[in-house]
Amino acid sequence: MLHIVLYEPEIPPNTGNIARLCAGTGIRLHLVGKLGFELSDRYLKRAGLDYWPHVQWEHVPSLEHLYVRFPESRFFYLSTKATRPYTTAGYREGDFLVFGPESRGLPEEILLANADACYTIPMFGPVRSLNLSTAVGIVAYEALRQVKGF
C-alpha cells in the first residue's frame, strides 16, 4: 500500500478531493498536524462525496509520529523548492508521499533534513505551483504506475 501525507492541509475541498483519490486507488491518507479546517467541515465532506467510508485515513499529530510507526518505510517530500523531477524517484509498496500546506508548502527544515528525498513536479509556465489535489494526483499515479506496473 502507498501512503499520502498531507502536512497541515488548509483547504477542505483539496483534502476531500484527495480523499476521493485515495478511495479510488487504495492509497492510505494521513493528515498531519494542525488542520486549516474542522474534520466535520461540509466542504471537506462534499468534495469527498460519499467516499469517506471507503478511505483508510487518520489524523496524527506530527511527521515524527509516522516515522516511529513506520520505521522501515521511505518518505518522499514533494516541493516546488526541489529540483529533481518526481518521475526520477523509484517508488515501491509502503512508500509515503508527503505534501505541504497549500499556501506555503513544506517547511524549510523538513526539506533540508530530507534533501536526498525531495522531488518536484516540473513547471513550464508562469504559475508558481499546481493545486494541491492536482499535484497529489500526478505523483500518486506515477507511484502507482511503478508499483502496479500499468
Side-chain angles (χ1 to χ4, degrees):
M1 170 182 300
L2 290 167
H3 302 261
I4 290 174
V5 177
L6 301 183
Y7 178 85
E8 298 184 355
E10 300 166 328
I11 302 174
N14 283 337
T15 300
N17 287 333
I18 293 164
R20 185 175 180 176
L21 172 87
C22 290
T25 58
I27 295 175
R28 185 172 174 90
L29 177 61
H30 305 270
L31 306 178
V32 175
K34 184 178 181 210
L35 308 180
F37 49 84
E38 295 292 323
L39 288 171
S40 61
D41 190 302
R42 66 185 174 101
Y43 297 108
L44 177 73
K45 289 184 177 178
R46 183 170 38 175
L49 299 171
D50 57 346
Y51 297 108
W52 277 103
H54 306 289
V55 179
Q56 296 180 55
W57 72 278
E58 67 177 336
H59 180 206
V60 297
S62 67
L63 282 173
E64 288 73 24
H65 183 85
L66 294 175
Y67 300 152
V68 169
R69 281 187 42 219
F70 301 94
E72 301 299 316
S73 293
R74 300 181 316 157
F75 288 75
F76 293 88
Y77 303 85
L78 286 298
S79 173
T80 59
K81 299 168 190 141
T83 57
R84 284 182 296 176
Y86 71 100
T87 53
T88 63
Y91 305 104
R92 62 181 184 225
E93 286 285 347
D95 284 347
F96 285 72
L97 309 175
V98 183
F99 297 83
E102 291 89 339
S103 68
R104 60 191 186 281
L106 289 168
E108 193 74 25
E109 60 270 14
I110 291 174
L111 298 175
L112 289 173
N114 301 285
D116 60 331
C118 292
Y119 294 87
T120 192
I121 298 170
M123 302 289 296
F124 305 105
V127 298
R128 67 180 181 277
S129 65
L130 298 173
N131 174 276
L132 178 61
S133 60
T134 300
V136 169
I138 289 169
V139 179
Y141 267 90
E142 173 59 18
L144 284 169
R145 184 190 68 77
Q146 290 185 25
V147 169
K148 303 291 185 191
F150 60 83

